[in-house]
């Protein structure tokens, strides 16, 4: 737990007041270093993500370091002046920075990721609800505009009706699909077009096929690939009444082998034709 979070008493919980983006950020990076030292994390495939204050810290960290290959920022602060001016909780900045922005403009600017936007090179996915009156969506709009102008890799997804956090089931699902696709593409290097396309359902007649997950395992049963293993989990369902059976035509233009396996316990017929 970084300074300013819970579980270590009151003084620890307020240790980052007046120091947002200071020792709290140092603690987070120290945790990353420990995870790497313990062998739990690959330093070449690091990603960072967070919501609300965690979104601010995500924005701040990718503006201060290039060690992350991908980032997902969910309804986070980008500009403290913008956030104070639009949030329904306008006391937050005063509580945590100690002053209003007209009393210490340099502090508000220096601790805002917006001031350091040109230093952001990490591909970042930005998610925000249109009805968020806590961390106002203008934060994410400003970040997206700045990074687009700078020619950075960025994607901005707005969720209608959502406030400070997503609650509609279809939005919750979309949130995780977006994050998964982004991290697969940029942290694991599977390629953005291939992974994002996999998340879009394909309709044929009464049947719908959706790729639920794409993975690139390093080995199967201790066997390493000549190039790469690519594991694709597909879900097929009938979206309209039908008596027709479905089949799959697998086109393998890249060479290598293809296996098709049904999940244990699944009912119904599965047909496939492999074209090498």
């Amino acid at each position: 737990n970084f300074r300013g979070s819970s579980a270590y008493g009151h003084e620890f919980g307020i240790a980052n007041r007046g120091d947002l983006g200071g020792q709290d950020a140092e603690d987070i990076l120290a945790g990353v270093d420990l995870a790497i030292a313990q062998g739990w994390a690959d330093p070449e495939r690091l990603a960072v993500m967070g919501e609300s204050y965690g979104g601010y810290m995500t924005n701040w960290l990718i503006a201060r370091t290039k060690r992350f290959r991908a980032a997902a920022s969910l309804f986070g602060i980008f500009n403290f002046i913008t956030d104070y001016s639009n949030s329904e909780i306008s006391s937050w900045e005063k509580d945590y920075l100690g002053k209003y922005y007209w009393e210490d403009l340099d502090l508000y600017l220096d601790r805002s990721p917006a001031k350091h936007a040109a230093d952001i090179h990490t591909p970042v996915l930005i998610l925000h609800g249109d009805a968020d009156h806590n961390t106002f969506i203008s934060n994410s709009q400003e970040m997206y505009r700045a990074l687009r102008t700078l020619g950075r890799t960025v994607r901005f997804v707005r969720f209608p009706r959502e406030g400070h956090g997503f609650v509609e089931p279809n939005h919750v699902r979309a949130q995780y699909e977006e994050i998964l696709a982004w991290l697969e593409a940029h942290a694991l290097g599977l390629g953005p077009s291939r992974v994002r396309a996999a998340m879009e359902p394909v309709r044929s007649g009464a049947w719908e096929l959706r790729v639920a997950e794409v993975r690139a395992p390093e080995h199967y049963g201790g066997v390493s690939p000549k190039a790469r293993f690519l594991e694709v989990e597909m879900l097929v369902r009938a979206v309209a009444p039908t008596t027709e059976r479905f089949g799959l035509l697998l086109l393998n233009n890249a060479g290598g082998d293809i296996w098709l396996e049904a999940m244990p316990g699944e009912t119904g017929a599965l047909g496939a034709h492999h074209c090498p």
Side-chain angles (χ1 to χ4, degrees), residues 32-55:
V32 173
D33 291 335
L34 178 62
I36 294 172
Q38 294 288 341
W40 301 332
D42 182 348
E44 300 301 320
R45 298 192 296 179
L46 295 175
V48 57
M49 62 178 286
E51 302 177 350
S52 191
Y53 172 81

PDB file of all heavy atoms in Angstrom, residues 32-55:
ATOM      1  N   VAL A  32       6.556  -2.018  -7.807  1.00  0.00           N
ATOM      2  CA  VAL A  32       6.843  -2.613  -9.111  1.00  0.00           C
ATOM      3  C   VAL A  32       8.236  -3.232  -9.109  1.00  0.00           C
ATOM      4  O   VAL A  32       8.447  -4.357  -9.579  1.00  0.00           O
ATOM      5  CB  VAL A  32       6.716  -1.554 -10.223  1.00  0.00           C
ATOM      6  CG1 VAL A  32       7.186  -2.126 -11.561  1.00  0.00           C
ATOM      7  CG2 VAL A  32       5.280  -1.058 -10.335  1.00  0.00           C
ATOM      8  N   ASP A  33       9.207  -2.495  -8.560  1.00  0.00           N
ATOM      9  CA  ASP A  33      10.577  -3.004  -8.501  1.00  0.00           C
ATOM     10  C   ASP A  33      10.646  -4.305  -7.708  1.00  0.00           C
ATOM     11  O   ASP A  33      11.371  -5.240  -8.082  1.00  0.00           O
ATOM     12  CB  ASP A  33      11.500  -1.964  -7.864  1.00  0.00           C
ATOM     13  CG  ASP A  33      11.698  -0.740  -8.748  1.00  0.00           C
ATOM     14  OD1 ASP A  33      11.543  -0.876  -9.978  1.00  0.00           O
ATOM     15  OD2 ASP A  33      12.011   0.340  -8.211  1.00  0.00           O
ATOM     16  N   LEU A  34       9.898  -4.370  -6.602  1.00  0.00           N
ATOM     17  CA  LEU A  34       9.895  -5.580  -5.789  1.00  0.00           C
ATOM     18  C   LEU A  34       9.279  -6.749  -6.546  1.00  0.00           C
ATOM     19  O   LEU A  34       9.793  -7.873  -6.499  1.00  0.00           O
ATOM     20  CB  LEU A  34       9.126  -5.343  -4.488  1.00  0.00           C
ATOM     21  CG  LEU A  34       9.002  -6.560  -3.553  1.00  0.00           C
ATOM     22  CD1 LEU A  34      10.370  -7.021  -3.098  1.00  0.00           C
ATOM     23  CD2 LEU A  34       8.108  -6.242  -2.365  1.00  0.00           C
ATOM     24  N   ALA A  35       8.178  -6.492  -7.248  1.00  0.00           N
ATOM     25  CA  ALA A  35       7.529  -7.555  -8.026  1.00  0.00           C
ATOM     26  C   ALA A  35       8.479  -8.112  -9.080  1.00  0.00           C
ATOM     27  O   ALA A  35       8.517  -9.321  -9.333  1.00  0.00           O
ATOM     28  CB  ALA A  35       6.256  -7.026  -8.678  1.00  0.00           C
ATOM     29  N   ILE A  36       9.265  -7.233  -9.696  1.00  0.00           N
ATOM     30  CA  ILE A  36      10.245  -7.674 -10.692  1.00  0.00           C
ATOM     31  C   ILE A  36      11.355  -8.477 -10.021  1.00  0.00           C
ATOM     32  O   ILE A  36      11.753  -9.543 -10.501  1.00  0.00           O
ATOM     33  CB  ILE A  36      10.825  -6.461 -11.444  1.00  0.00           C
ATOM     34  CG1 ILE A  36       9.727  -5.793 -12.285  1.00  0.00           C
ATOM     35  CG2 ILE A  36      12.000  -6.872 -12.321  1.00  0.00           C
ATOM     36  CD1 ILE A  36      10.158  -4.480 -12.902  1.00  0.00           C
ATOM     37  N   ALA A  37      11.854  -7.963  -8.890  1.00  0.00           N
ATOM     38  CA  ALA A  37      12.942  -8.642  -8.184  1.00  0.00           C
ATOM     39  C   ALA A  37      12.533 -10.028  -7.708  1.00  0.00           C
ATOM     40  O   ALA A  37      13.351 -10.955  -7.678  1.00  0.00           O
ATOM     41  CB  ALA A  37      13.401  -7.786  -7.002  1.00  0.00           C
ATOM     42  N   GLN A  38      11.247 -10.192  -7.359  1.00  0.00           N
ATOM     43  CA  GLN A  38      10.749 -11.483  -6.901  1.00  0.00           C
ATOM     44  C   GLN A  38      10.445 -12.431  -8.064  1.00  0.00           C
ATOM     45  O   GLN A  38      10.097 -13.587  -7.845  1.00  0.00           O
ATOM     46  CB  GLN A  38       9.480 -11.278  -6.064  1.00  0.00           C
ATOM     47  CG  GLN A  38       9.700 -10.529  -4.758  1.00  0.00           C
ATOM     48  CD  GLN A  38      10.438 -11.359  -3.722  1.00  0.00           C
ATOM     49  OE1 GLN A  38      10.494 -12.574  -3.820  1.00  0.00           O
ATOM     50  NE2 GLN A  38      11.018 -10.704  -2.729  1.00  0.00           N
ATOM     51  N   GLY A  39      10.549 -11.931  -9.278  1.00  0.00           N
ATOM     52  CA  GLY A  39      10.268 -12.761 -10.437  1.00  0.00           C
ATOM     53  C   GLY A  39       8.805 -12.867 -10.790  1.00  0.00           C
ATOM     54  O   GLY A  39       8.406 -13.699 -11.602  1.00  0.00           O
ATOM     55  N   TRP A  40       7.971 -12.007 -10.213  1.00  0.00           N
ATOM     56  CA  TRP A  40       6.533 -12.051 -10.469  1.00  0.00           C
ATOM     57  C   TRP A  40       6.148 -11.261 -11.716  1.00  0.00           C
ATOM     58  O   TRP A  40       5.062 -11.462 -12.252  1.00  0.00           O
ATOM     59  CB  TRP A  40       5.762 -11.473  -9.278  1.00  0.00           C
ATOM     60  CG  TRP A  40       6.005 -12.193  -7.993  1.00  0.00           C
ATOM     61  CD1 TRP A  40       6.341 -13.513  -7.833  1.00  0.00           C
ATOM     62  CD2 TRP A  40       5.937 -11.637  -6.680  1.00  0.00           C
ATOM     63  NE1 TRP A  40       6.490 -13.797  -6.507  1.00  0.00           N
ATOM     64  CE2 TRP A  40       6.244 -12.678  -5.771  1.00  0.00           C
ATOM     65  CE3 TRP A  40       5.646 -10.375  -6.181  1.00  0.00           C
ATOM     66  CZ2 TRP A  40       6.270 -12.475  -4.396  1.00  0.00           C
ATOM     67  CZ3 TRP A  40       5.674 -10.177  -4.805  1.00  0.00           C
ATOM     68  CH2 TRP A  40       5.984 -11.220  -3.922  1.00  0.00           C
ATOM     69  N   ALA A  41       6.998 -10.350 -12.153  1.00  0.00           N
ATOM     70  CA  ALA A  41       6.648  -9.461 -13.265  1.00  0.00           C
ATOM     71  C   ALA A  41       7.798  -9.392 -14.256  1.00  0.00           C
ATOM     72  O   ALA A  41       8.971  -9.453 -13.875  1.00  0.00           O
ATOM     73  CB  ALA A  41       6.320  -8.064 -12.746  1.00  0.00           C
ATOM     74  N   ASP A  42       7.447  -9.271 -15.512  1.00  0.00           N
ATOM     75  CA  ASP A  42       8.416  -9.128 -16.598  1.00  0.00           C
ATOM     76  C   ASP A  42       8.655  -7.641 -16.829  1.00  0.00           C
ATOM     77  O   ASP A  42       7.734  -6.921 -17.228  1.00  0.00           O
ATOM     78  CB  ASP A  42       7.862  -9.784 -17.860  1.00  0.00           C
ATOM     79  CG  ASP A  42       8.832  -9.725 -19.037  1.00  0.00           C
ATOM     80  OD1 ASP A  42       9.836  -8.993 -18.951  1.00  0.00           O
ATOM     81  OD2 ASP A  42       8.570 -10.399 -20.043  1.00  0.00           O
ATOM     82  N   PRO A  43       9.864  -7.136 -16.578  1.00  0.00           N
ATOM     83  CA  PRO A  43      10.116  -5.695 -16.738  1.00  0.00           C
ATOM     84  C   PRO A  43       9.921  -5.193 -18.150  1.00  0.00           C
ATOM     85  O   PRO A  43       9.774  -3.985 -18.363  1.00  0.00           O
ATOM     86  CB  PRO A  43      11.575  -5.544 -16.281  1.00  0.00           C
ATOM     87  CG  PRO A  43      12.184  -6.898 -16.463  1.00  0.00           C
ATOM     88  CD  PRO A  43      11.081  -7.868 -16.170  1.00  0.00           C
ATOM     89  N   GLU A  44       9.892  -6.105 -19.133  1.00  0.00           N
ATOM     90  CA  GLU A  44       9.710  -5.707 -20.528  1.00  0.00           C
ATOM     91  C   GLU A  44       8.246  -5.693 -20.937  1.00  0.00           C
ATOM     92  O   GLU A  44       7.917  -5.310 -22.056  1.00  0.00           O
ATOM     93  CB  GLU A  44      10.490  -6.658 -21.453  1.00  0.00           C
ATOM     94  CG  GLU A  44      11.982  -6.679 -21.182  1.00  0.00           C
ATOM     95  CD  GLU A  44      12.610  -5.297 -21.331  1.00  0.00           C
ATOM     96  OE1 GLU A  44      12.222  -4.574 -22.272  1.00  0.00           O
ATOM     97  OE2 GLU A  44      13.492  -4.960 -20.518  1.00  0.00           O
ATOM     98  N   ARG A  45       7.342  -6.143 -20.050  1.00  0.00           N
ATOM     99  CA  ARG A  45       5.924  -6.206 -20.403  1.00  0.00           C
ATOM    100  C   ARG A  45       5.065  -5.670 -19.257  1.00  0.00           C
ATOM    101  O   ARG A  45       4.077  -6.274 -18.856  1.00  0.00           O
ATOM    102  CB  ARG A  45       5.522  -7.640 -20.756  1.00  0.00           C
ATOM    103  CG  ARG A  45       6.253  -8.193 -21.969  1.00  0.00           C
ATOM    104  CD  ARG A  45       5.645  -9.472 -22.473  1.00  0.00           C
ATOM    105  NE  ARG A  45       5.750 -10.556 -21.502  1.00  0.00           N
ATOM    106  CZ  ARG A  45       5.273 -11.782 -21.712  1.00  0.00           C
ATOM    107  NH1 ARG A  45       4.646 -12.069 -22.846  1.00  0.00           N
ATOM    108  NH2 ARG A  45       5.408 -12.719 -20.796  1.00  0.00           N
ATOM    109  N   LEU A  46       5.418  -4.512 -18.759  1.00  0.00           N
ATOM    110  CA  LEU A  46       4.683  -3.901 -17.652  1.00  0.00           C
ATOM    111  C   LEU A  46       3.527  -3.050 -18.167  1.00  0.00           C
ATOM    112  O   LEU A  46       3.642  -2.380 -19.195  1.00  0.00           O
ATOM    113  CB  LEU A  46       5.612  -3.026 -16.809  1.00  0.00           C
ATOM    114  CG  LEU A  46       6.744  -3.717 -16.061  1.00  0.00           C
ATOM    115  CD1 LEU A  46       7.633  -2.675 -15.386  1.00  0.00           C
ATOM    116  CD2 LEU A  46       6.201  -4.690 -15.022  1.00  0.00           C
ATOM    117  N   ALA A  47       2.443  -3.069 -17.448  1.00  0.00           N
ATOM    118  CA  ALA A  47       1.301  -2.199 -17.733  1.00  0.00           C
ATOM    119  C   ALA A  47       0.817  -1.591 -16.432  1.00  0.00           C
ATOM    120  O   ALA A  47       1.049  -2.135 -15.352  1.00  0.00           O
ATOM    121  CB  ALA A  47       0.170  -2.978 -18.406  1.00  0.00           C
ATOM    122  N   VAL A  48       0.169  -0.439 -16.517  1.00  0.00           N
ATOM    123  CA  VAL A  48      -0.351   0.247 -15.341  1.00  0.00           C
ATOM    124  C   VAL A  48      -1.778   0.677 -15.629  1.00  0.00           C
ATOM    125  O   VAL A  48      -2.092   1.106 -16.744  1.00  0.00           O
ATOM    126  CB  VAL A  48       0.536   1.459 -14.949  1.00  0.00           C
ATOM    127  CG1 VAL A  48       0.662   2.448 -16.097  1.00  0.00           C
ATOM    128  CG2 VAL A  48       0.015   2.143 -13.685  1.00  0.00           C
ATOM    129  N   MET A  49      -2.660   0.543 -14.644  1.00  0.00           N
ATOM    130  CA  MET A  49      -4.031   0.990 -14.816  1.00  0.00           C
ATOM    131  C   MET A  49      -4.620   1.348 -13.465  1.00  0.00           C
ATOM    132  O   MET A  49      -4.132   0.909 -12.417  1.00  0.00           O
ATOM    133  CB  MET A  49      -4.882  -0.079 -15.487  1.00  0.00           C
ATOM    134  CG  MET A  49      -5.020  -1.371 -14.705  1.00  0.00           C
ATOM    135  SD  MET A  49      -6.094  -2.584 -15.519  1.00  0.00           S
ATOM    136  CE  MET A  49      -7.696  -1.845 -15.212  1.00  0.00           C
ATOM    137  N   GLY A  50      -5.652   2.202 -13.483  1.00  0.00           N
ATOM    138  CA  GLY A  50      -6.302   2.577 -12.242  1.00  0.00           C
ATOM    139  C   GLY A  50      -7.551   3.380 -12.505  1.00  0.00           C
ATOM    140  O   GLY A  50      -7.776   3.892 -13.613  1.00  0.00           O
ATOM    141  N   GLU A  51      -8.388   3.489 -11.459  1.00  0.00           N
ATOM    142  CA  GLU A  51      -9.647   4.225 -11.526  1.00  0.00           C
ATOM    143  C   GLU A  51      -9.611   5.402 -10.561  1.00  0.00           C
ATOM    144  O   GLU A  51      -9.050   5.293  -9.463  1.00  0.00           O
ATOM    145  CB  GLU A  51     -10.816   3.316 -11.149  1.00  0.00           C
ATOM    146  CG  GLU A  51     -10.974   2.082 -12.006  1.00  0.00           C
ATOM    147  CD  GLU A  51     -12.109   1.191 -11.519  1.00  0.00           C
ATOM    148  OE1 GLU A  51     -12.634   1.447 -10.411  1.00  0.00           O
ATOM    149  OE2 GLU A  51     -12.464   0.237 -12.237  1.00  0.00           O
ATOM    150  N   SER A  52     -10.210   6.536 -10.952  1.00  0.00           N
ATOM    151  CA  SER A  52     -10.355   7.703 -10.082  1.00  0.00           C
ATOM    152  C   SER A  52      -8.979   8.223  -9.668  1.00  0.00           C
ATOM    153  O   SER A  52      -8.207   8.642 -10.530  1.00  0.00           O
ATOM    154  CB  SER A  52     -11.228   7.338  -8.880  1.00  0.00           C
ATOM    155  OG  SER A  52     -11.594   8.485  -8.162  1.00  0.00           O
ATOM    156  N   TYR A  53      -8.649   8.187  -8.379  1.00  0.00           N
ATOM    157  CA  TYR A  53      -7.293   8.574  -7.973  1.00  0.00           C
ATOM    158  C   TYR A  53      -6.260   7.653  -8.627  1.00  0.00           C
ATOM    159  O   TYR A  53      -5.169   8.091  -9.006  1.00  0.00           O
ATOM    160  CB  TYR A  53      -7.163   8.509  -6.450  1.00  0.00           C
ATOM    161  CG  TYR A  53      -5.751   8.695  -5.950  1.00  0.00           C
ATOM    162  CD1 TYR A  53      -5.207   9.969  -5.818  1.00  0.00           C
ATOM    163  CD2 TYR A  53      -4.961   7.601  -5.642  1.00  0.00           C
ATOM    164  CE1 TYR A  53      -3.902  10.135  -5.381  1.00  0.00           C
ATOM    165  CE2 TYR A  53      -3.665   7.757  -5.200  1.00  0.00           C
ATOM    166  CZ  TYR A  53      -3.142   9.028  -5.061  1.00  0.00           C
ATOM    167  OH  TYR A  53      -1.846   9.184  -4.637  1.00  0.00           O
ATOM    168  N   GLY A  54      -6.636   6.370  -8.780  1.00  0.00           N
ATOM    169  CA  GLY A  54      -5.762   5.457  -9.505  1.00  0.00           C
ATOM    170  C   GLY A  54      -5.608   5.859 -10.963  1.00  0.00           C
ATOM    171  O   GLY A  54      -4.566   5.634 -11.573  1.00  0.00           O
ATOM    172  N   GLY A  55      -6.668   6.462 -11.535  1.00  0.00           N
ATOM    173  CA  GLY A  55      -6.559   6.997 -12.885  1.00  0.00           C
ATOM    174  C   GLY A  55      -5.605   8.179 -12.931  1.00  0.00           C
ATOM    175  O   GLY A  55      -4.816   8.320 -13.874  1.00  0.00           O
TER     176      GLY A  55
END
